[in-house]
Amino acid sequence: AQKVTQAQTEISVVEKEDVTLDCVYETRDTTYYLFWYKQPPSGELVFLIRRNSFDEQNEISGRYSWNFQKSTSSFNFTITASQVVDSAVYFCALSEARGANNLFFGTGTRLTVIP
Amino acid sequence: KAGVTQTPRYLIKTRGQQVTLSCSPISGHRSVSWYQQTPGQGLQFLFEYFSETQRNKGNFPGRFSGRQFSNSRSEMNVSTLELGDSALYLCASSLVTTSDPNEKLFFGSGTQLSVL
C-alpha cells in the first residue's frame, strides 16, 4: 500500500529564515514518482518538482532545494531565505504506476512566513 | 496559454440533488484528472480520463462519475448529494507523451461545492 506522510502540520518562520518540509513515503513499487506541489490561498495546486525513483540526485532551483533519499524513503524540501510569498500549503505526493496520474498526496504542511 | 479552467467556482446544493462540474484543460492536454479536497480526508484521487476513456479510478462510490469529450473537456457528476460531498473539487490536466508518461499535472482553481 502507498502512503505519504507529512508530519509537520504547520510551520511558522520569520522572513529570511531557512525552512525544511519533511516528506516520508511508503510504496512497494520499485518504479515510482515523487512530487511537491504548492497550494496558495487561491486554491490551485502549483507544480514544484517531480523526481523518479531511479534518480536520487538532489536538485536546487533558486531558493528551493530537494533532498531525495531512498534509504530513508524521504523526499524533503528546503526553502532558503524564506519570503512572505512562500506562505502556502505544501503537498508531497507519490505516483506509483508509469503513465498514471493517480497521485497519493500527503496531508500537507501549512507554511507561514512572518515579515 | 490559458490554464485549466473550472466552472463554476462556487456551488451550493441541497442533499439529494445532483451536480455537474466542468473542466477545460490546457490546450493540447489530453489527460484530465479529478481530485476531491476536504479538511478531513485531504486530497483524494477521483478518476482520470484520457482520450475520452476512463483510465484510472479512485475509491469513490458510483455516485461520482465523469466523462471526457473529444475536445478533452471533462465533466464530473455527483448524484444524490450527501453532506459529506462538500469539498473543493480540483481538476488537473497533463500532456501525456510516450516519452514522458508521468507528466506533471496542471491544476485549476477548483469548484467549491457546499451541500446543505
Side-chain angles (χ1 to χ4, degrees), chain A residues 31-33 35 37 39 41-50 89 91 95-107, chain B residues 9 31 33 35 37 42-45 48 55-58 88 90 94 96 98-110:
Chain A
T31 301
Y32 53 89
Y33 295 79
F35 301 78
Y37 279 87
Q39 187 175 39
S42 53
E44 83 279 13
L45 287 155
V46 178
F47 169 85
L48 295 177
I49 190 172
R50 180 191 63 179
V89 181
F91 291 94
S95 173
E96 287 185 324
R98 177 179 170 85
N101 284 327
N102 178 1
L103 297 185
F104 296 94
F105 283 88
T107 51
Chain B
R9 186 72 176 93
S31 168
S33 305
Y35 288 81
Q37 186 176 23
L43 278 154
Q44 293 184 285
F45 171 77
E48 181 205 1
R55 188 164 73 159
N56 269 305
K57 188 177 188 302
L88 178 66
L90 291 162
S94 64
V96 182
T98 53
S99 61
D100 193 359
N102 274 73
E103 184 56 78
K104 62 186 180 185
L105 300 182
F106 293 83
F107 283 83
S109 296

Side-chain angles (χ1 to χ4, degrees), chain B residues 13-17 19 63 78-82 85 113 115:
Chain B
K13 293 286 186 178
T14 56
R15 278 181 300 174
Q17 287 187 310
V19 67
R63 299 185 298 107
V78 187
S79 62
T80 319
L81 284 166
E82 301 177 359
D85 296 334
L113 172 64
V115 182

